[in-house]
Amino acid sequence: MDPFGASEEQLLEFYHLKTLEPHTSWKQDSSLDFNLERWQNVSPDADNSYDILKDLLYQQQQTYEREVAMNMNDAAMSNVADPLNNKMMLPLLNKLHIPQKEKLKYLVNTKKFNVKMFLKDIHNKDSFDDLSRSLDILDKTLESQSEELKDLVQNNFTKYVRIKNRLDQIYEQFSMRYTPTTEALDNNRGQLDVNELGEKVDDAIRATTLKLKPLLETNRKINNYQATRNFIEENKEYFNLTKKLKRCLDKKDYSSLIIEYSKAKELHNQLILDAAVTEKNESGQIVNRVPKVVDKVWDEVERIVDNYRQYTWKMLLSPDEEESQNSFLPLISKLLDLTVDKNPIMAWLTVHLDHFEKRLQDVSSQMLNKIVKAQNNILQNKVETDSDEQQTASIKGVDLSYYLSIGRFFHDNTELKSNDELAFRTLSAFQGLTDSPVVVEMWLLFLRYINSLEKLCMKFVEFWEHVQNFLDGVYQITLINDKKKDNILVGDLKTIDGHKQFLQLEKEQIKHLRNRGEHFVNMLSNQLTLFFMSSQDSLSGGAMISKETGLPSDYGFTPPMTNGLSCLRYLPKMVEPLLKSVTKLAQLGISSKALEISRKLVSMITDRSVGAIAATKLRDTANFYKLEDWKVYETVTEANKNKLEYGVTQFPEIVRVFQEYSIQTTRDLLFAFEKLPVFNGISIVTYPSKRSLTAVEIQQLISMEAVLEAILKNAAKDKDNPRNSHTILTLTNLQYIRETTFPQILQYFDEAFEWNLREKKLELFSLLSKMESSIFGNYLSDLKINIRDVLEKKFHEISWATYTSNSFRAHDYVIEVLMLLVTIHSECFRIGPQLIEKVLKETQIFIAKFLFESFKPYIGNLSSDGLLQVTVDLQFFQRVLGKLLERDTEVTITACLQNCFQNNVERMQRCIKETEPIVSSNLARTSIQFAAFK
């Protein structure tokens, strides 16, 4: 045959091609199709058996490949529907971003179909009702497909039987014709052996089984779905649990959630009894197995409830300072119903105790850091003006100028002036500053710290009332009563028994709670002790004072360079809240040790506060001389019968008001128990001891001595030139302090403390009198020196032995010395008229004695005109003084005149009489000049 003579049709038929120019692949362009119908009426024999089997295998392989290709095609998958709801699968798979290679696992008509992944990823949100409807749809689909399957089997039954018979015939012929000997294999080389035929037949059977397997699986699935549907329908309420619980959570209907969970536990227990199957496990033991779906449903129920359980724990264990029993008792009750491992009561109490301790540490740490920074700021920026040459109301950086406005602090209106108790309370309500702004800022930090501790203590007191109710069982009874009501509604009274282990606190738990409460009180005591027992130097290092010096710097709870006014203003605002809060802590009855800690704490706070007031008062009072402006502040009436009015500066008033206010404040601190209630017979602030009152008495007297010390400091400035208005005002101030200020202060002290200082013979007044005498004596000494200088200068200008005159006027030494007395009279008259008499008494006696001694050398050596002049001068001097003339002065002048006349009294009297007109003339001429003496 000519190999090149074949026609195109012959080539296509021989090579089984659709075209001679294939564009894709040989398989796709192949026209080979194994038609088994040609063997339908042919009996298999030795010649055609192999061909029949070969066609059968090729046809099976081609069918499988076509089926796989069709399943992997999106076009093929686009027509595949979800058997549970008849929705197209391909859009859903694309929406869920399922990879292409994984899509076959979600298609029910493929061999790779995975029912777990299908339900988990496609139908994970379906409810019981949704699944029930899906099962109805699937049931109808299976019913229709079962009819189709039946028709398919009936229509192809005959064909399958024939094929089976032919395969049997082929196998029989191979068995009869061939033997498994080596000789047979050699004689039939190239022919199919029986063993090989068996393998091929097994492959064919496997292929056929693969084709029939979906049919068998479908029937099994129908039976399984039907059984599952019946089981679900019978336990519909159980399978609806998760949906109900989720709905309760979504609606935040937590009461219904608890009820549904209680019902769920009953359903689950009953279902375990009904659905359990007895079988042997791997160890050979007999156990009860329940359907896995039951465990899965219950796991989901527990997961939902556990989420709510965790949420409830979170709500319960989130410390809230405004919690009431209406907020935490329901949460504890819910947790008991939700079956918890640890005691919610102890957990709630413990987390709150931890919160209070942490809060105490945080507040103290944060505020003390801010206080130390404020302290450093004061020390770095405060300017010290401690020089007497600088007339500023400041001493070592302490601003004392606010004392000048002390009257405004206490007497804002006339009503308050008539009520001392109300008057002294106006400083707290005063809106202005009582100290430098930087110092006040630190005081406000102190108040903020104390207020934070007070609020924390009050919250702890409120919290401990809850603790006490748990310790007494009050809240447990409330919980049990509420549960009885709920259980009556639910129908299970036994659930209460399961809560008794949590509701009944053990002795160790009660002891633990009391120890925790005692620990909080001790922590508070340690923080306050560190604060109140620190010095201004040790505060920054978090240490207590090592040695007291009695200075304001010993008290770290006061700002550096603070004055006494702000100390009196802000310290009570710090101490009073602390005394109240610590008293309430003690009255909780936590333990006897907590009570003792509280007593020691308030005693220490009170003592240190009183000491701080005394120290700042003493320092400021001793430096009040800085406040003296030497202006008459008010005119007062002398206490004696003369009723003379004299002027004083503001100094005595500042002293009185400051002393009285410090006494009042100290008294309020020591007698704080009067304002604190007694509860359960507990009162940790008691009547002050005699030792404390004696210490206050000593401090009071020392501070009053400091007033005199301040006066002396000012007087010392004029020591070299005492004859001025400052000395006069000093003397009037001392007189007013002696007669009025100090007696008022002592009376106020005695009334405040029920003491008897006024009845004691105090050295204070002796010291005051000595001061008056000393200052007045210094004033007189300077005046006498001045008088002496005037007299010596003018007196010795006259030559008494040769003196002659025609006019006989009062001589200059008398006129000038009298004018000096007029000046002194004028100075005293305005501000210290009560001093005039004393000054004139001392000075005129001094003048008389000076003249007496000055004329002694001239006795017997005076000219006649000199005797006349002496008589005129001495008589003029006496008559100018008039009523102010002292008896001693008159006697001395007379004695002096007698000496000049050499004790010739008759001659002296005659001369006095003769010069009387001259004296009267001089008096008339100088009447205006010396009018002050009238």
Side-chain angles (χ1 to χ4, degrees):
M1 182 179 178
D2 185 6
F4 300 101
S7 63
E8 185 175 343
E9 289 77 11
Q10 289 175 333
L11 291 174
L12 291 173
E13 181 181 359
F14 182 82
Y15 290 106
H16 303 288
L17 296 175
K18 297 179 182 179
T19 174
L20 294 179
E21 297 179 1
H23 296 286
T24 55
S25 67
W26 186 276
K27 288 184 178 182
Q28 292 182 1
D29 286 334
S30 175
S31 62
L32 182 62
D33 185 14
F34 297 95
N35 186 4
L36 298 179
E37 292 182 359
R38 61 176 178 163
W39 305 109
Q40 186 172 358
N41 299 319
V42 177
S43 298
D45 52 24
D47 297 328
N48 59 15
S49 296
Y50 180 79
D51 294 332
I52 293 173
L53 185 58
K54 183 180 68 172
D55 288 350
L56 180 63
L57 292 174
Y58 279 136
Q59 181 69 24
Q60 178 65 29
Q61 184 179 359
Q62 187 179 31
T63 303
Y64 177 75
E65 292 177 353
R66 187 184 302 114
E67 182 178 312
V68 172
M70 182 181 66
N71 287 336
M72 289 299 294
N73 193 343
D74 283 348
M77 288 190 294
S78 62
N79 295 324
V80 178
D82 187 339
L84 297 181
N85 54 23
N86 289 333
K87 294 181 180 179
M88 293 297 104
M89 288 294 295
L90 184 59
L92 182 58
L93 295 176
N94 291 334
K95 183 178 180 181
L96 296 175
H97 304 290
I98 304 298
Q100 183 69 24
K101 62 181 180 180
E102 298 289 333
K103 289 182 179 179
L104 293 180
K105 295 180 181 180
Y106 297 91
L107 303 179
V108 73
N109 59 338
T110 63
K111 295 172 183 167
K112 294 185 178 181
F113 176 68
N114 188 316
V115 64
K116 292 183 179 180
M117 296 176 65
F118 173 75
L119 293 174
K120 179 181 177 182
D121 298 335
I122 305 300
H123 294 281
N124 58 339
K125 297 182 179 179
D126 288 2
S127 64
F128 175 80
D129 293 336
D130 296 334
L131 291 174
S132 179
R133 287 192 296 270
S134 298
L135 287 176
D136 292 336
I137 296 172
L138 183 61
D139 187 49
K140 293 178 182 179
T141 304
L142 292 176
E143 287 181 2
S144 62
Q145 289 182 352
S146 66
E147 294 298 327
E148 295 176 1
L149 178 63
K150 182 177 180 181
D151 293 340
L152 177 64
V153 173
Q154 289 177 351
N155 293 335
N156 295 279
F157 180 74
T158 304
K159 185 184 296 185
Y160 282 112
V161 170
R162 289 178 181 176
I163 293 173
K164 180 66 170 62
N165 289 334
R166 288 180 181 177
L167 288 174
D168 291 340
Q169 293 175 8
I170 293 171
Y171 182 77
E172 184 178 356
Q173 290 178 6
F174 271 80
S175 299
M176 292 173 62
R177 183 174 180 179
Y178 298 102
T179 61
T181 64
T182 305
E183 182 180 357
L185 290 173
D186 295 336
N187 295 333
N188 297 282
R189 189 172 305 277
Q191 300 294 327
L192 183 64
D193 198 334
V194 173
N195 291 334
E196 295 180 2
L197 178 63
E199 294 177 0
K200 296 296 183 179
V201 172
D202 289 341
D203 292 340
I205 291 173
R206 275 194 293 271
T208 304
T209 303
L210 289 174
K211 193 168 186 179
L212 292 174
K213 187 176 180 180
L215 299 176
L216 299 175
E217 287 292 331
T218 301
N219 188 48
R220 185 179 62 80
K221 289 178 181 178
I222 292 173
N223 294 331
N224 289 341
Y225 277 128
Q226 187 63 41
T228 301
R229 180 182 179 183
N230 293 336
F231 182 77
I232 292 174
E233 287 181 348
E234 291 174 0
N235 301 280
K236 179 178 179 180
E237 188 175 358
Y238 181 78
F239 287 99
N240 267 337
L241 287 176
T242 56
K243 185 176 181 181
K244 289 182 179 180
L245 295 176
K246 286 181 179 179
R247 187 184 296 117
C248 292
L249 281 180
D250 294 339
K251 293 181 178 180
K252 297 183 178 181
D253 186 1
Y254 302 128
S255 299
S256 298
L257 177 70
I258 299 298
I259 295 174
E260 292 296 335
Y261 179 60
S262 178
K263 293 179 180 179
K265 287 190 287 186
E266 295 180 5
L267 288 174
H268 180 67
N269 295 333
Q270 186 63 39
L271 188 59
I272 290 176
L273 295 175
D274 296 342
V277 177
T278 302
E279 60 181 28
K280 292 184 179 181
N281 59 12
E282 296 177 355
S283 303
Q285 297 176 342
I286 303 298
V287 295
N288 292 327
R289 300 288 188 187
V290 295
K292 291 183 178 180
V293 66
V294 174
D295 291 337
K296 288 183 177 181
V297 171
W298 187 247
D299 289 343
E300 181 64 17
V301 169
E302 286 292 355
R303 186 187 67 80
I304 294 171
V305 174
D306 187 62
N307 288 337
Y308 177 61
R309 186 184 293 115
Q310 297 302 324
Y311 168 78
T312 307
W313 272 118
K314 182 178 179 182
M315 293 293 294
L316 179 66
L317 302 183
S318 298
D320 184 0
E321 295 183 353
E322 302 298 330
E323 275 189 318
S324 65
Q325 67 182 78
N326 294 329
S327 61
F328 63 82
L329 283 183
L331 294 174
I332 292 175
S333 178
K334 289 176 183 179
L335 286 172
L336 294 176
D337 291 335
L338 291 171
T339 310
V340 291
D341 296 330
K342 60 180 180 179
N343 191 334
I345 295 176
M346 290 300 297
W348 182 80
L349 295 174
T350 301
V351 76
H352 278 73
L353 288 167
D354 293 342
H355 168 73
F356 279 110
E357 292 177 4
K358 184 177 183 302
R359 182 64 180 156
L360 177 59
Q361 292 284 6
D362 292 344
V363 167
S364 298
S365 176
Q366 294 172 6
M367 291 306 302
L368 287 177
N369 287 336
K370 293 180 180 180
I371 288 170
V372 170
K373 289 180 180 179
Q375 184 186 66
N376 293 333
N377 185 42
I378 294 175
L379 295 175
Q380 292 172 3
N381 296 289
K382 197 73 174 179
V383 178
E384 293 192 7
T385 54
D386 192 19
S387 175
D388 287 341
E389 285 75 19
Q390 295 176 332
Q391 295 299 320
T392 57
S394 177
I395 180 71
K396 294 184 178 180
V398 181
D399 194 344
L400 303 177
S401 62
Y402 294 92
Y403 284 99
L404 297 173
S405 304
I406 196 168
R408 292 192 297 114
F409 301 153
F410 308 112
H411 304 298
D412 291 338
N413 54 57
T414 55
E415 293 182 1
L416 293 179
K417 288 183 180 180
S418 62
N419 190 325
D420 288 338
E421 183 178 358
L422 292 177
F424 281 111
R425 296 186 184 280
T426 57
L427 180 59
S428 299
F430 179 68
Q431 298 300 317
L433 294 177
T434 54
D435 210 332
S436 302
V438 67
V439 173
V440 172
E441 287 178 3
M442 190 169 180
W443 275 116
L444 295 179
L445 276 178
F446 287 150
L447 290 180
R448 183 179 172 188
Y449 177 40
I450 297 303
N451 289 338
S452 299
L453 293 181
E454 180 200 11
K455 290 180 181 178
L456 188 62
C457 289
M458 292 301 98
K459 293 299 179 183
F460 186 84
V461 170
E462 295 176 4
F463 165 73
W464 194 259
E465 292 178 358
H466 299 311
V467 177
Q468 195 62 48
N469 284 332
F470 278 119
L471 296 177
D472 296 339
V474 175
Y475 282 162
Q476 288 90 327
I477 293 175
T478 301
L479 288 170
I480 291 174
N481 291 336
D482 291 341
K483 289 193 175 300
K484 285 181 179 179
K485 296 177 183 178
D486 295 338
N487 292 332
I488 289 173
L489 296 175
V490 175
D492 184 6
L493 297 177
K494 296 180 180 180
T495 56
I496 300 175
D497 299 334
H499 304 323
K500 288 184 178 179
Q501 58 174 331
F502 294 146
L503 295 177
Q504 294 178 352
L505 296 181
E506 300 177 358
K507 291 183 179 180
E508 289 299 322
Q509 291 175 324
I510 295 174
K511 181 180 179 181
H512 173 73
L513 291 175
R514 293 197 178 278
N515 288 340
R516 289 295 301 271
E518 180 184 301
H519 180 63
F520 176 82
V521 176
N522 191 48
M523 284 182 62
L524 177 68
S525 175
N526 291 338
Q527 293 295 340
L528 289 175
T529 300
L530 176 63
F531 180 60
F532 279 93
M533 287 300 295
S534 65
S535 66
Q536 293 176 358
D537 292 333
S538 67
L539 179 64
S540 58
M544 291 187 287
I545 187 172
S546 57
K547 182 179 180 181
E548 294 190 17
T549 61
L551 299 176
S553 58
D554 288 346
Y555 305 93
F557 54 93
T558 63
M561 305 173 190
T562 182
N563 63 32
L565 272 179
S566 58
C567 194
L568 294 176
R569 181 178 192 177
Y570 294 108
L571 255 185
K573 293 183 178 181
M574 293 168 52
V575 175
E576 290 179 5
L578 285 179
L579 296 183
K580 290 180 182 178
S581 56
V582 175
T583 298
K584 289 187 177 181
L585 283 176
Q587 291 172 344
L588 294 175
I590 296 174
S591 67
S592 58
K593 186 176 180 180
L595 184 63
E596 185 62 26
I597 291 172
S598 301
R599 283 200 177 100
K600 291 181 179 179
L601 177 61
V602 296
S603 177
M604 180 273 299
I605 292 175
T606 302
D607 290 344
R608 290 283 289 174
S609 300
V610 170
I613 292 174
T616 53
K617 179 174 73 170
L618 180 60
R619 180 205 58 201
D620 289 2
T621 303
N623 292 284
F624 273 174
Y625 70 95
K626 288 274 187 176
L627 302 175
E628 189 61 82
D629 57 1
W630 303 116
K631 295 179 181 178
V632 176
Y633 177 72
E634 63 177 333
T635 301
V636 297
T637 304
E638 196 174 21
N640 57 29
K641 60 183 180 179
N642 294 329
K643 302 299 182 182
L644 292 176
E645 292 184 348
Y646 59 92
V648 294
T649 66
Q650 192 182 359
F651 182 91
E653 182 68 7
I654 293 174
V655 169
R656 183 190 67 82
V657 176
F658 179 53
Q659 287 282 350
E660 289 183 357
Y661 185 60
S662 63
I663 291 171
Q664 179 68 34
T665 304
T666 303
R667 195 265 176 203
D668 288 344
L669 293 176
L670 290 175
F671 289 81
F673 71 93
E674 296 175 344
K675 302 177 183 178
L676 298 174
V678 177
F679 183 73
N680 290 336
I682 298 175
S683 177
I684 58 174
V685 182
T686 58
Y687 191 91
S689 65
K690 187 175 182 180
R691 180 185 63 83
S692 298
L693 294 176
T694 302
V696 171
E697 174 190 346
I698 295 172
Q699 292 167 352
Q700 179 61 40
L701 294 176
I702 292 174
S703 70
M704 294 173 73
E705 291 177 359
V707 174
L708 304 182
E709 178 186 345
I711 295 175
L712 280 176
K713 288 180 180 178
N714 265 332
K717 297 178 183 179
D718 298 320
K719 184 177 182 180
D720 297 333
N721 185 26
R723 196 172 63 81
N724 53 41
S725 61
H726 293 181
T727 303
I728 297 174
L729 283 172
T730 300
L731 291 170
T732 57
N733 283 347
L734 283 172
Q735 180 180 346
Y736 183 74
I737 289 172
R738 172 172 47 81
E739 296 177 352
T740 304
T741 303
F742 275 7
Q744 287 181 349
I745 294 172
L746 294 176
Q747 181 180 359
Y748 198 90
F749 183 89
D750 290 345
E751 291 177 354
F753 293 100
E754 298 179 359
W755 216 243
N756 57 349
L757 272 180
R758 291 195 68 185
E759 297 177 3
K760 294 182 179 181
K761 188 176 181 180
L762 300 176
E763 187 179 351
L764 177 70
F765 288 96
S766 299
L767 180 61
L768 196 156
S769 298
K770 291 178 181 179
M771 280 183 58
E772 283 187 277
S773 299
S774 176
I775 294 173
F776 185 66
N778 194 34
Y779 176 85
L780 287 177
S781 296
D782 184 75
L783 178 58
K784 289 176 181 179
I785 291 173
N786 200 349
I787 292 173
R788 183 197 63 191
D789 293 341
V790 171
L791 290 173
E792 284 183 349
K793 180 180 179 182
K794 296 299 181 181
F795 182 83
H796 293 294
E797 288 180 354
I798 303 173
S799 178
W800 294 101
T802 61
Y803 180 79
T804 60
S805 176
N806 297 323
S807 60
F808 294 104
R809 297 174 56 184
H811 209 278
D812 289 344
Y813 73 91
V814 175
I815 297 297
E816 289 193 18
V817 78
L818 286 173
M819 285 302 299
L820 185 57
L821 294 181
V822 168
T823 303
I824 298 301
H825 185 284
S826 177
E827 291 177 355
C828 294
F829 182 80
R830 291 185 297 106
I831 52 180
Q834 79 281 13
L835 297 176
I836 294 176
E837 185 176 350
K838 292 173 64 177
V839 172
L840 291 179
K841 177 181 178 180
E842 293 290 335
T843 54
Q844 64 180 279
I845 293 175
F846 174 78
I847 293 171
K849 289 180 179 181
F850 181 86
L851 292 176
F852 180 85
E853 296 296 331
S854 297
F855 279 110
K856 269 186 180 182
Y858 297 100
I859 295 174
N861 195 26
L862 291 171
S863 65
S864 58
D865 287 348
L867 280 173
L868 290 174
Q869 186 63 48
V870 170
T871 303
V872 171
D873 291 341
L874 295 181
Q875 289 298 309
F876 178 79
F877 177 76
Q878 292 184 85
R879 292 182 65 180
V880 167
L881 292 177
K883 295 179 180 180
L884 296 176
L885 182 66
E886 292 289 330
R887 177 63 182 168
D888 290 344
T889 305
E890 183 179 4
V891 170
T892 304
I893 291 296
T894 302
C896 178
L897 195 56
Q898 285 179 354
N899 286 340
C900 290
F901 282 93
Q902 296 179 338
N903 292 323
N904 189 342
V905 178
E906 181 180 353
R907 182 184 175 192
M908 180 187 71
Q909 291 295 335
R910 185 172 62 251
C911 188
I912 291 173
K913 186 175 182 182
E914 290 175 354
T915 56
E916 195 278 333
I918 300 174
V919 173
S920 298
S921 175
N922 279 272
L923 287 173
R925 181 172 55 84
T926 60
S927 60
I928 297 176
Q929 190 174 356
F930 300 113
F933 298 133
K934 294 182 179 180

